[in-house]
Amino acid sequence: MAHIKTIEGQLDAKGLKVAIVASRFNDFIVDRLVGGAVDALTRHGASREDLTLVRIPGAFEMPLVAQKLAASKKFDGIVCVGAVIRGATPHFDFVANECAKGLAQVSMEHGIPLGFGVLTTDNLEQAIERAGSKAGNKGVDAAMAMLETARVLAQL
Ligand code: INI
């Protein structure tokens, strides 16, 4: 293909201040996602002192907390990690939908890159698969997506 002007984000997290918002609900899954996000960011140059972990009750509370973090302007990006599991959640759809919708709104309103690492699965096995086993670690993916987006936004 002919050369065209291309803008893309370098995966360099050096100097980036990042808030990681993690729900306590299903914490044995979520802790793996937090670990993945921290690992991904520090391996790409972020310093631990620039990372702040915010623990909250559940995925439903995530948008409000992300909104406050974004409004504080103390962070270059936010990574949200949680696990909403249908099998154990009669109100799965409400929690999952409100969480995703609210976080997208925060990202747009504040122009802040937000990595969405909230698992929404039918059962526990699928959640385990995405928390550091055969389907990877969605905390890693969310952190990397936030990082790439932050570096793209800085050039626009
Ligand atoms: N919160 C989650 O993060 N994951 C879930 O699977 C879940 N379930 O199963 O209900 C869940 N519910 C709690 C919810 O996020 C709120 O914390 C709660 O309703 C209080 O507002």
Side-chain angles (χ1 to χ4, degrees):
M1 196 176 40
H3 177 75
I4 56 165
K5 181 173 166 59
T6 301
I7 296 171
E8 56 186 354
Q10 299 302 307
L11 299 179
D12 175 15
K14 192 165 187 292
L16 221 62
K17 296 204 181 343
V18 181
I20 299 168
V21 184
S23 44
R24 294 186 193 281
F25 210 103
N26 297 316
D27 66 350
F28 75 105
I29 296 285
V30 178
D31 284 351
R32 305 306 303 253
L33 303 176
V34 172
V38 171
D39 193 49
L41 291 169
T42 53
R43 278 191 297 120
H44 285 82
S47 101
R48 285 186 167 268
E49 299 86 76
D50 287 338
L51 306 182
T52 303
L53 176 62
V54 184
R55 294 267 189 198
I56 61 163
F60 189 79
E61 286 74 33
M62 220 167 251
L64 177 61
V65 174
Q67 183 185 56
K68 187 87 195 264
L69 287 165
S72 78
K73 303 202 181 299
K74 289 180 187 159
F75 300 98
D76 301 302
I78 302 174
V79 180
C80 292
V81 291
V84 193
I85 302 173
R86 188 185 290 275
T89 317
H91 56 315
F92 172 95
D93 292 310
F94 297 107
V95 173
N97 288 341
E98 291 309 312
C99 177
K101 187 157 58 83
L103 291 179
Q105 207 177 321
V106 168
S107 183
M108 296 293 285
E109 271 174 16
H110 292 271
I112 190 167
L114 191 152
F116 185 70
V118 180
L119 305 179
T120 52
T121 64
D122 285 333
N123 54 51
L124 191 53
E125 190 184 355
Q126 289 174 356
I128 292 169
E129 283 172 8
R130 291 159 177 75
S133 55
K134 67 182 176 188
N137 183 316
K138 296 298 171 196
V140 172
D141 297 350
M144 296 309 292
M146 181 284 299
L147 172 56
E148 185 172 349
T149 307
R151 294 310 191 198
V152 168
L153 288 176
Q155 299 174 65
L156 302 180

